[in-house]
Structure formats: C-alpha cells, structure tokens
Amino acid sequence: MLEKQGPNSTAGGAFAPIYDAEGNIIPGVWSNPYVVSRDSNGNAVRTQWKELSAKTLRSIDEESKVADIFKKNGYDVPDDVDFIPLFNGNITFTDGVPAGGGQVTFQMANLGIDSSSYEPGDTVYVMQETSPGSGVWEVYTGKVGQALDVTVTLPRNGSLVLVKTLSDGSVITLNKSTGEVVDRKPADNVANNDAKGTTGTSTNPSGATSPKTGEF
C-alpha cells in the first residue's frame, strides 16, 4: 500500500514534475499545490518531493515495525492497534529548512487521501526518518482540521509518512517513569523533546514479522 502512495502515483494526488533552469524535467522530483509549506512567519517556501527509497520502505513494510517505532518514541501501543498509512514521500525544502522548521500543511481531501480514515478532530501521526535510509524514525502528531487538513512542523528534509490508527486515541503518549499520559502537541514537533523525557527515538528498524495482517 505504501508503494502506491508516493508522489509518482495517481494515489498521491496531482503531483507535477519540476523543471530545471533549461526547462528540462528533473527526474524523480515533483511538486504539489495541495502540500503547502511556510516558515515561522507564515511566508510560503518551496518544497520538492521524491518517492521513498527501497531501503526506507523496508524499515516500515510491516505493521510490527511501525508499532516498534511508536513504542521507542514513547507511545503505548496495544497489540490490537492497526496503523493506516495515508500519504508518504520524501520532502526537501528547496531553499533550505526554515529556521525553527517548516510548517507543512497537507490538504488531505485534495490529495486524494481516503476520507473514510479520518474526520475533523482526529489525531494523525507523522513519522519522519532522521537520516536517509537509516530506518530510524521520529513520530509527531497533528490534528485534522475542519477543512480536512493537517499542519505539522518538520525539523528537516527527509522521508515521511502520515499515519492514522484504526481507533483514534488507542495510541497514547506516556511518561515512562510515572505512567502519566502526556499530550504531545503539534507545536512541539521541531524539538521532539520535552523536559519529562517522554520522547524517545527509534534506534533501529524492527525486523520482526507482524503477527497480524494490516495496511502496512
């Protein structure tokens, strides 16, 4: 399913090729008017998109691997949780990542993402790889707005996946020391840190075999 959602697919929703200064198409690079990026002052910034690499895909091609990544990022993941991938791609901020991170809005309905998977107020998780092909991911959260859009702040270029859990709220953030439920807000995405130590980072991709079938 992930392989059908990249920018070089009809499921990706109206991705257009990018041209160089001589008017030639840049191979494997696209733009999309429905993924809008801005700096911290609200100024529009340019982005380019590529498909996920084969190595990156292998780190998240089973649901158990995704669950492991969430756990290592400080989430409590029950065994019966299903992860639904909504959109994926590799983003590059054309003129460099804005100071404080790039605020990226995904207009999901216009991107052709199946609207039966979410509704306003739902939590959508954003997985972003920490370095190309590393299989090490950070997880951020965003809320679905009334216009069925999601805005997250990304601290770097790189591969990302928008993910919805089958039952919203079944994956929660816990302080591993106290067991306290922690609300990880979208505004906290850039640092992906907090003083309570609730945010961890997956240090290696899981190679386990999923005990159940799922969208991943």
Side-chain angles (χ1 to χ4, degrees), residues 5-207:
Q5 294 176 323
N8 188 25
S9 68
T10 55
F15 275 89
I18 293 178
Y19 298 84
D20 61 22
E22 286 73 40
N24 301 309
I25 291 177
I26 302 175
V29 181
W30 292 271
S31 65
N32 193 299
Y34 305 124
V35 183
V36 181
S37 302
R38 302 184 184 279
D39 62 20
S40 59
N41 295 318
N43 301 309
V45 296
R46 298 183 299 164
T47 57
Q48 299 178 355
W49 290 87
K50 296 182 180 180
E51 292 183 305
L52 301 185
S53 70
K55 188 173 183 180
T56 292
L57 279 169
R58 283 196 297 271
S59 73
I60 53 173
D61 62 1
E62 296 174 2
E63 212 163 37
S64 62
K65 296 179 183 180
V66 178
D68 186 58
I69 289 168
F70 269 71
K71 290 174 183 177
K72 290 178 178 178
N73 272 267
Y75 290 88
D76 183 40
V77 183
D79 291 340
D80 60 351
V81 168
D82 287 319
F83 295 95
I84 313 298
L86 301 174
F87 171 87
N88 76 75
N90 187 304
I91 187 172
T92 297
F93 293 92
T94 307
D95 302 306
V97 180
Q103 299 173 0
V104 183
T105 299
F106 300 88
Q107 299 174 5
M108 297 197 293
N110 293 324
L111 283 168
I113 298 174
D114 181 9
S115 62
S116 65
S117 298
Y118 56 86
E119 60 185 28
D122 280 356
T123 298
V124 173
Y125 302 90
V126 182
M127 300 171 55
Q128 188 174 34
E129 199 172 25
T130 59
S131 61
S134 68
V136 179
W137 297 79
E138 290 182 328
V139 181
Y140 319 134
T141 61
K143 290 290 185 183
V144 179
Q146 292 301 314
L148 299 182
D149 55 0
V150 173
T151 299
V152 296
T153 302
L154 299 177
R156 67 178 72 85
N157 298 322
S159 300
L160 63 84
V161 184
L162 294 185
V163 181
K164 179 75 171 61
T165 55
L166 187 61
S167 178
D168 186 55
S170 57
V171 176
I172 58 176
T173 312
L174 293 178
N175 182 313
K176 293 299 185 181
S177 298
T178 66
E180 175 189 1
V181 175
V182 179
D183 181 19
R184 184 182 289 155
K185 296 179 171 58
D188 297 330
N189 289 347
V190 171
N192 202 31
N193 274 312
D194 65 55
K196 297 181 181 179
T198 59
T199 303
T201 300
S202 173
T203 56
N204 63 288
S206 169

